Amino acid sequence: LSVPRQRIKEYYERVKRILKETRKWDYVVSKFPEGELAVYRAVTIILERLAEVGVDPQTFDWKAAFVKLEDYDSIDSFIEALEEEGVLPTPTITELGASEEAFIAREASRLEGQIMSLIEEAKDVRPEILKRVRERIAEALGQVEDIDRLYLEVSRLKEEARRERAKAREYKAKTQELEKELRKLYEEISALRQQLEEAKKAQKRYVYKMVALKAVTHIPSFLGEDGKVYGPFEAGQIFNVPERDAHKLISRGLAQPWKPTVFPPETPKPPKKEINPEIKVKTDTLWEQYINAVLSHEPIVAMEAARQLREFRKKLFA
Amino acid sequence: VKALSKEYEEFKADAEKLLKKIRKIKKGMQEQKSEG
C-alpha cells in the first residue's frame, strides 16, 4: 500500500501550489500545529487510499478537496469529510478482514469441538496414556498462549488500520498468521485425538495374562497394569492380578503364587519296600513245603511250615 | 480409583484452560465480525 515518496512529494507540491494560488496556504499552515507536515500527511493518506482501490491520482480533484481544508480542525476530520462526500473511497478494512475473521471464528469452533471430545474420550483411558496426552496438552497450552498474543496484536492492528491505512497490510498479514497458527493447533489436537482413540482400541484388544495369588498379609487397594483397581485383600485371600503386578506383590513378600487344586489329593500309600531275595527264596520254599504237605496229608510238616511262614511274616511287617 | 481420577482431573483442568482461551478468541472474532 505504500506510495513512492517521490509521488507523494509531487502531489504535495501540486496541493501547495493550489493552496498558494487560492491564497489559503499561509492560513492552513498556521492553523494546524504540524504546519506544512499536516498537508503532507493529508496528501499521503489520499494517495494511499487511491492506490489501495486502484484509482489513478490524476483523476482525483485535488483542488476541490483541498480548498476546503481550512474549514477543518484536524486532518482526520478532513479525511472523514471527504469519505462522507464520496470523494474518497471509504475504508475497506472491515471487508478486508471479514473473511479471515469468519475463518478464524469457524476454526476456533472446530478446535473447541475437538478439545471437548478429547476431554470426554480421555475418561476411561489408562493412566500412562493419559499422562502422555496431558504432556501434549501442556505443549498446546504454550501454543495457544502465542495465539492469544497474536490475537491481541490483530485486534490492535485492526483499530490502527482503521485510522492509518498503512497498517492495513500488516493487519491482514497478522490475521493470516493467526489463521495459520489456529489451523496448526487444530491439526495437532485432531492428531492427538486420533492417537487417543487408537490407544483406547489397543487397550481393549490387549488381554492381560492373569496370575492367581494368595495374600500373605493385608494388601491395600492398588491400580493394576491394566488400569483396573484391585484389592484390598486380606491375609489368606486368593485373587487374580495381571502378571506384572503379581511379580511386584511376590517380590515385596505381600503375596504368594497360588495354584488351584483341580483333583482331591490322593491318600498316602506306604512306600514299597524291596523284599530281601534270600527271604523271598526261603518263604517260597516254605510255601511249597506247606502246599506239598497239605496235598500229601502230612499235617505235622504242614503246621511246621505254616509256623515258620508266620514268623517270617512277623519279621517282614514288624 | 483415586489415583485414576486425580490424573484425569489434572488432564481435564489443562484441557479446559485450552478451551477457555480458544473460546475467548472465538468470541472476540465473532464480535469483530458483527461489528463489521
Side-chain angles (χ1 to χ4, degrees):
Chain A
L1 293 179
S2 59
V3 178
R5 197 170 286 180
Q6 188 54 42
R7 182 169 297 164
I8 299 172
K9 206 164 177 240
E10 183 192 316
Y11 278 91
Y12 166 71
E13 289 300 334
R14 186 195 277 203
V15 167
K16 192 176 174 179
R17 209 165 47 244
I18 293 166
L19 290 174
K20 278 196 171 173
E21 279 168 12
T22 52
R23 295 171 189 272
K24 291 177 189 285
W25 176 253
D26 290 338
Y27 176 69
V28 164
V29 168
S30 63
K31 186 177 181 176
F32 296 104
E34 314 102 287
E36 287 179 37
L37 276 176
V39 181
Y40 188 85
R41 195 161 80 84
V43 170
T44 310
I45 294 169
I46 293 168
L47 281 172
E48 279 179 348
R49 187 77 57 88
L50 295 174
E52 194 189 310
V53 290
V55 171
D56 184 358
Q58 288 285 357
T59 61
F60 184 77
D61 194 345
W62 294 92
K63 192 175 178 180
F66 275 86
V67 289
K68 287 185 242 163
L69 182 59
E70 59 178 359
D71 302 336
Y72 300 94
D73 294 329
S74 68
I75 295 301
D76 287 340
S77 54
F78 168 65
I79 296 292
E80 266 175 43
L82 291 178
E83 281 170 8
E84 278 168 24
E85 283 170 30
V87 177
L88 198 63
T90 48
T92 53
I93 192 71
T94 322
E95 297 152 37
L96 188 78
S99 61
E100 275 93 353
E101 279 161 17
F103 181 86
I104 289 165
R106 223 171 32 241
E107 202 71 2
S109 287
R110 291 208 306 153
L111 193 53
E112 195 187 345
Q114 283 285 350
I115 299 167
M116 280 162 76
S117 312
L118 197 70
I119 293 174
E120 201 53 41
E121 277 170 20
K123 265 182 184 164
D124 49 358
V125 162
R126 275 165 49 200
E128 61 263 37
I129 299 172
L130 204 57
K131 206 177 158 191
R132 282 203 298 274
V133 175
R134 214 183 136 206
E135 279 165 15
R136 296 279 300 276
I137 289 288
E139 280 171 33
L141 265 169
Q143 266 172 280
V144 89
E145 292 283 344
D146 291 340
I147 289 173
D148 201 24
R149 270 195 292 276
L150 209 55
Y151 165 66
L152 286 176
E153 216 174 324
V154 162
S155 306
R156 180 182 57 80
L157 275 168
K158 186 170 188 175
E159 278 310 305
E160 282 181 18
R162 274 183 179 143
R163 281 179 268 120
E164 210 179 324
R165 306 297 300 169
K167 296 274 180 183
R169 183 178 282 180
E170 207 183 326
Y171 162 71
K172 196 178 165 84
K174 278 281 169 205
T175 314
Q176 282 170 347
E177 200 183 319
L178 176 63
E179 192 182 302
K180 209 173 125 193
E181 286 301 314
L182 264 176
R183 198 181 300 170
K184 208 169 112 191
L185 184 62
Y186 173 78
E187 276 160 15
E188 279 171 25
I189 296 288
S190 304
L192 182 61
R193 207 189 133 187
Q194 212 172 340
Q195 282 172 12
L196 185 76
E197 269 174 34
E198 277 163 21
K200 269 178 81 179
K201 274 184 205 162
Q203 188 178 316
K204 277 182 193 162
R205 275 200 304 267
Y206 191 81
V207 179
Y208 289 88
K209 192 182 172 191
M210 302 299 275
V211 174
L213 295 181
K214 187 176 180 179
V216 170
T217 176
H218 170 82
I219 302 170
S221 63
F222 61 93
L223 195 69
E225 142 184 64
D226 56 355
K228 290 178 188 165
V229 178
Y230 293 91
F233 302 112
E234 295 309 320
Q237 198 175 338
I238 290 149
F239 56 93
N240 282 312
V241 281
E243 202 175 26
R244 201 185 284 180
D245 298 306
H247 285 302
K248 281 184 201 164
L249 292 172
I250 296 165
S251 65
R252 286 178 199 161
L254 296 169
Q256 281 176 348
W258 184 80
K259 271 198 166 185
T261 316
V262 182
F263 303 104
E266 285 176 37
T267 46
K269 281 180 186 172
K272 277 186 180 176
K273 279 186 185 171
E274 285 211 1
I275 300 165
N276 190 333
E278 274 180 43
I279 295 170
K280 192 173 164 46
V281 172
K282 273 186 180 174
T283 48
D284 285 351
T285 316
L286 279 169
W287 186 249
E288 229 176 271
Q289 277 178 11
Y290 173 71
I291 297 289
N292 290 335
V294 169
L295 291 172
S296 55
H297 300 283
E298 290 172 16
I300 297 162
V301 180
M303 278 171 73
E304 181 56 23
R307 192 189 56 84
Q308 283 185 34
L309 272 170
R310 272 200 304 277
E311 270 182 21
F312 264 115
R313 195 182 162 203
K314 268 183 197 170
K315 275 184 199 168
L316 275 170
F317 297 105
Chain B
V1 176
K2 265 185 192 170
L4 186 68
S5 62
K6 191 180 165 240
E7 189 85 36
Y8 178 72
E9 287 307 319
E10 281 171 351
F11 154 80
K12 201 180 162 194
D14 281 352
E16 276 171 353
K17 258 188 238 171
L18 194 68
L19 201 59
K20 211 173 149 186
K21 296 237 170 193
I22 295 294
R23 280 182 179 151
K24 187 185 147 197
I25 293 167
K26 189 182 136 191
K27 202 180 158 198
M29 279 297 167
Q30 275 167 346
E31 275 170 11
Q32 284 197 13
K33 206 179 134 196
S34 60
E35 243 179 73

